[in-house]
Amino acid sequence: MNHESYIVREGLPFILISLTITFIFAVFELFWLTIFFSLVTIFVVAFFRNPQRESPQDEGSVVSPADGKIIKIDNVTESGLIRGEFMMISIFMNVFNVHVNRIPCAGKIWAIDYKEGKFLRADLDKASIHNERNYLVIRTGRNEEIMFVQIAGLIARRIVCWVKTGMAVKKGERFGLIRFGSRVDIYLPHGIDIQVELGQKVRAGETVLGVRK
């Protein structure tokens, strides 16, 4: 399925509903409600925007899977889909960020594991274990395993994932989105030099998070 349209198809129902409500209020000449829902429509269109991005295609770099701000960089030990010591980078997306997520490095989708959960604020630490989330693991040509996790937020109620286990993927390729505010965590193996810092704003598919030594 092609996901390169400027507005992702998952946003079309929300846009049509907002446009319909705006039109009804305009017909009945309810000025302030028309203005309000016009602004809502603009916001919804902007939320589901899907801009083109140019990703660095060198083999050594790993790019951000999400737009937003880095809220955590930490050494962690994992014993689930991936095992060992990793550097976890958390990226918080507010409602004004682009919410289309992108593949951080080339490889093959090794595992996908969706978990139902709560809808706590995505910037809280416990959101990574309690919220609705979707785990994806890529195995690279260097036999590395890199995991990234889509985490639903306070407003979000739907994680969308377009890839399947076994698919070969390219760096910067779109793989899904999360509706209305969320977070993405990425787990990088040791041997990758981190190139970002806390509080830094990043762009999916473009900002380099780390470079292989």
Side-chain angles (χ1 to χ4, degrees):
M1 185 181 295
N2 187 301
H3 299 288
E4 297 185 357
S5 59
Y6 185 73
I7 301 295
V8 291
R9 60 179 297 174
E10 286 80 1
L12 295 179
F14 296 93
I15 294 170
L16 290 174
I17 290 171
S18 185
L19 279 172
T20 300
I21 294 173
T22 303
F23 176 76
I24 291 171
F25 285 135
V27 168
F28 285 96
E29 298 182 350
L30 298 171
F31 179 76
W32 291 111
L33 286 173
T34 301
I35 293 296
F36 174 77
F37 277 96
S38 295
L39 294 174
V40 169
T41 301
I42 292 171
F43 167 77
V44 174
V45 170
F47 181 87
F48 288 105
R49 67 195 185 278
N50 184 24
Q52 295 293 328
R53 297 278 171 86
E54 293 294 331
S55 300
Q57 291 304 314
D58 59 291
E59 293 186 2
S61 64
V62 178
V63 298
S64 177
D67 281 31
K69 184 173 74 172
I70 294 177
I71 60 172
K72 189 173 185 179
I73 301 176
D74 196 14
N75 279 299
V76 296
T77 301
E78 286 294 309
S79 58
L81 290 178
I82 55 175
R83 296 176 180 273
E85 300 288 329
F86 295 86
M87 185 65 73
M88 183 188 76
I89 300 175
S90 296
I91 303 161
F92 176 71
M93 295 179 282
N94 64 41
V95 293
F96 299 106
N97 291 130
V98 173
H99 273 61
V100 174
N101 303 140
R102 292 177 181 261
I103 296 293
C105 61
K108 181 177 287 188
I109 301 294
W110 192 253
I112 299 176
D113 188 19
Y114 170 79
K115 302 287 188 183
E116 294 184 352
K118 300 177 181 179
F119 298 97
L120 305 173
R121 281 172 39 200
D123 56 342
L124 298 175
D125 285 345
K126 58 186 177 181
S128 62
I129 57 174
H130 292 301
N131 279 20
E132 178 193 7
R133 58 206 182 277
N134 190 45
Y135 298 84
L136 300 97
V137 178
I138 284 181
R139 181 161 287 180
T140 72
R142 303 185 184 201
N143 208 34
E144 301 167 317
E145 290 181 345
I146 292 177
M147 183 169 75
F148 41 107
V149 189
Q150 297 171 289
I151 303 171
L154 181 65
I155 304 174
R157 290 294 185 274
R158 181 81 167 97
I159 291 174
V160 178
C161 182
W162 297 319
V163 297
K164 297 183 183 299
T165 303
M167 287 180 61
V169 290
K170 299 178 181 178
K171 184 192 300 183
E173 180 180 346
R174 300 165 176 89
F175 75 87
L177 74 152
I178 318 170
R179 293 176 184 165
F180 302 114
S182 45
R183 165 178 161 184
V184 174
D185 292 346
I186 181 168
Y187 296 75
L188 302 179
H190 290 289
I192 295 180
D193 283 336
I194 304 303
Q195 303 291 302
V196 290
E197 58 187 23
L198 282 175
Q200 182 176 335
K201 293 182 179 179
V202 296
R203 286 164 60 90
E206 290 186 348
T207 305
V208 174
L209 297 181
V211 176
R212 294 176 176 89
K213 298 178 181 178

